[in-house]
């Protein structure tokens, strides 16, 4: 049994959990898209497959980045932040489209996870200080 003498800070563990939660949520959307692609009566097949592939790739990227951050790979922080910042315009356009109930939490999630990833405890744990 190995005991980690320097456990990951709470901010890093929480960021990893939120990234994994996002990966699962996007994975569920991807599964729904696969189902929709298979059961659609009329569709633009190329567009449908590209959207589905994008969702699958996003879920895989979020999961992989969360794992890398858990292993304290400093290079995973910047791509994870970029994915979080992508939630800001998505949330904004959802608010503009009348889906504020979903857009506001997405913006809060993006800002919150970004803050967790740049917070001093996480920065130290990733070796940036």
């Amino acid at each position: 049994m190995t005991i980690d003498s320097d456990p990951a800070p709470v901010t890093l563990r929480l960021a990893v959990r939120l990234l994994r939660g996002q990966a699962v949520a996007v994975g569920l959307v991807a599964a729904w898209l696969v189902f929709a692609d298979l059961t659609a009566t009329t569709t633009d097949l190329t567009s449908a497959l590209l959207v589905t592939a994008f969702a699958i790739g996003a879920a895989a990227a979020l999961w992989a980045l969360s794992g890398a951050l858990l292993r304290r790979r400093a290079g995973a922080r910047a791509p994870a932040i970029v994915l979080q910042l992508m939630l800001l315009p998505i949330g904004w356009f959802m608010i503009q489209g009348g889906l504020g109930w979903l857009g506001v939490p997405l913006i809060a999630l993006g800002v919150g996870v970004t803050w967790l990833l740049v917070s001093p405890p996480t920065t130290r744990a990733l070796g940036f200080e």
Side-chain angles (χ1 to χ4, degrees), residues 18-19 22 84 87-88 104-115:
L18 289 170
L19 286 169
Q22 289 176 23
Q84 296 312 297
L87 292 176
L88 302 181
V104 171
L106 278 180
I107 290 172
L109 180 65
V111 170
V113 175
T114 298
W115 179 83

Side-chain angles (χ1 to χ4, degrees), residues 65 68-81 117 122-129:
L65 288 169
L69 286 166
L70 191 59
R71 291 186 307 278
R72 298 187 189 190
R73 303 285 191 250
R77 184 170 81 161
I81 290 171
L117 290 171
T122 300
T123 299
R124 278 191 298 277
L126 294 175
F128 286 113
E129 284 186 4

Side-chain angles (χ1 to χ4, degrees), residues 84-107:
Q84 296 312 297
L85 293 178
M86 287 175 63
L87 292 176
L88 302 181
I90 293 169
W92 175 255
F93 283 108
M94 288 182 143
I95 292 168
Q96 295 300 310
L99 295 172
W101 62 270
L102 185 57
V104 171
L106 278 180
I107 290 172

Side-chain angles (χ1 to χ4, degrees), residues 33 37 43-53:
L33 287 169
D37 292 346
T43 185
D44 176 5
L45 184 60
T46 304
S47 295
L49 292 176
L50 286 173
V51 169
T52 303

